[in-house]
Amino acid sequence: MFVLTLLADTIRIPPHLLSQPTLNSVQTEIEKRYLNKIIVDVGLIICPYGPPLEIGDGILVPGDGGAHHQVIFQAVVFRPFVEEVLIGIVKESNEGGIVVSVGEFFDHVFIPAYWMLNPSKYDEKSGLWVWTPRYDDDDEEEEDGEGNKTEKSDVKQEENGGTIEEVTKGTADVDIEEGEEEEENRFEIEIGSEIRFKVKAVNFTRITTTMKGVQATTTTTSHSSDRAFGLNGSSGGGTSSSTTNGAKESEGGNTNGEGKEDDNNGVVRKRSSSADLSDSSSETLPAPMQIVGSICEDGLGLTSWWKSPAEEEEEEEKVDEG
């Protein structure tokens, strides 16, 4: 999740800091420039790591009273790798998916609808996503002498010679039991809950202003196998389409990709796409860094879904003591 990155930059020391030691002045300016900033294709800078490794001689520029130094330094960067499992907090929920915050410092994690646990659906009344697992119950059906499956209510009618009213009552009881079972198997992804998810892709978006208008270029790093699924069920073999704030790129758009081998999970593919954002407002511009997550595996989802009985007992004891 956190990596060390080697960076090089030209750091300007303002005139009022020239009286201080160069090392202290450079460290101060690095923190001002890089702290909590996102560098495209690098990640979110958390903090510098140690003193600068190398500081060049100061260069004076005509008309500028500051000194410019070539500096090489290390920084702690937040950039999860693909297939890494993280824990976050659910912040928002809509028909497209859910938004998750990691560590209360990164809020641009999105889990789309097609990466939810199956079967899941969006409840418009509550505004939450709901996981409704189905379990096989062999007790609801029994086989008669001919090998045909009949419900308990029908078997009772055959054996006891029940009336039509009794059969109807038995069927209603079965419907009530099924409704109660659906309520028991209903797991809501509530806002503020702790959720465990797996990273499927890391997207970096660079927004530039050109003669044609505002352009957004997105670079996506993901496994090639994970790009084969979509809401429409189509597979994205050689080409893919991406949507950025309503601007959709066709298969013949400006895309290019390159793959590199990953020892654990095959090929990690890196692709880029462009979109026109001239008609978009500043509030709808994409985030410079976004993580696409998945909970479509056992053990993923809300952490409360997968707690062991011992953990549940410990929580109950803590609540009783409190």
Side-chain angles (χ1 to χ4, degrees):
M1 183 167 65
F2 296 101
V3 296
L4 279 179
T5 301
L6 188 66
L7 300 174
D9 195 4
T10 301
I11 303 298
R12 177 184 180 272
I13 306 300
H16 68 276
L17 293 180
L18 293 177
S19 60
Q20 299 182 7
T22 303
L23 179 61
N24 296 342
S25 301
V26 168
Q27 287 181 324
T28 301
E29 292 303 312
I30 289 175
E31 291 178 357
K32 287 182 180 180
R33 176 176 295 188
Y34 285 96
L35 198 63
N36 201 30
K37 297 294 192 305
I38 292 176
I39 302 178
V40 175
D41 295 333
V42 175
L44 174 63
I45 306 297
I46 303 299
C47 64
Y49 182 78
L53 302 179
E54 183 179 338
I55 301 177
D57 296 332
I59 299 176
L60 299 178
V61 179
D64 187 359
H68 301 261
H69 297 265
Q70 292 288 340
V71 180
I72 299 176
F73 62 97
Q74 288 182 309
V76 179
V77 177
F78 170 73
R79 181 176 180 174
F81 58 84
V82 179
E83 297 296 317
E84 183 177 2
V85 177
L86 302 178
I87 293 179
I89 302 296
V90 179
K91 291 295 184 181
E92 298 179 16
S93 180
N94 52 55
E95 294 183 359
I98 58 177
V99 178
V100 178
S101 173
V102 176
E104 297 184 358
F105 65 89
F106 188 80
D107 297 335
H108 300 292
V109 179
F110 184 67
I111 302 177
Y114 52 85
W115 282 124
M116 298 286 184
L117 280 166
N118 189 29
S120 296
K121 61 181 180 180
Y122 180 72
D123 189 353
E124 296 182 355
K125 293 182 179 180
S126 61
L128 302 174
W129 276 90
V130 181
W131 176 40
T132 55
R134 300 173 183 174
Y135 303 104
D136 296 332
D137 190 359
D138 297 334
D139 295 336
E140 292 183 357
E141 297 181 350
E142 295 181 0
E143 293 187 2
D144 55 12
E146 299 177 357
N148 298 324
K149 291 184 178 181
T150 57
E151 295 183 356
K152 284 185 176 181
S153 58
D154 297 336
V155 174
K156 183 178 180 180
Q157 180 192 20
E158 293 175 1
E159 294 178 353
N160 301 332
T163 60
I164 297 177
E165 294 180 357
E166 292 176 345
V167 176
T168 305
K169 182 178 179 181
T171 305
D173 293 339
V174 172
D175 294 337
I176 293 174
E177 291 178 359
E178 290 179 354
E180 292 177 352
E181 187 174 333
E182 289 181 359
E183 290 295 332
E184 292 178 356
N185 298 336
R186 177 185 174 90
F187 299 93
E188 294 183 346
I189 303 179
E190 299 178 349
I191 305 298
S193 301
E194 190 178 64
I195 188 171
R196 183 184 294 110
F197 63 94
K198 179 178 288 188
V199 177
K200 288 297 181 181
V202 180
N203 302 331
F204 290 98
T205 301
R206 185 191 302 273
I207 299 176
T208 56
T209 303
T210 63
M211 295 294 293
K212 297 181 180 180
V214 180
Q215 300 288 326
T217 303
T218 301
T219 303
T220 301
T221 302
S222 65
H223 287 295
S224 57
S225 59
D226 293 337
R227 300 178 63 86
F229 302 98
L231 286 172
N232 56 0
S234 61
S235 62
T239 59
S240 65
S241 60
S242 62
T243 304
T244 307
N245 291 324
K248 186 175 182 181
E249 179 195 5
S250 61
E251 294 183 356
N254 182 16
T255 60
N256 55 68
E258 58 183 35
K260 59 181 179 179
E261 294 295 331
D262 181 70
D263 296 336
N264 297 327
N265 297 291
V267 177
V268 176
R269 173 166 292 186
K270 191 173 183 179
R271 301 180 64 89
S272 64
S273 60
S274 300
D276 186 6
L277 301 179
S278 301
D279 298 333
S280 302
S281 62
S282 59
E283 297 180 356
T284 59
L285 293 179
M289 178 180 175
Q290 185 188 52
I291 297 174
V292 179
S294 166
I295 59 173
C296 190
E297 293 182 26
D298 290 342
L300 302 180
L302 298 189
T303 55
S304 59
W305 295 349
W306 307 100
K307 289 183 178 179
S308 62
E311 293 176 342
E312 293 180 355
E313 290 179 0
E314 289 180 0
E315 287 190 358
E316 292 178 358
E317 291 178 357
K318 291 180 180 179
V319 171
D320 295 339
E321 292 177 358

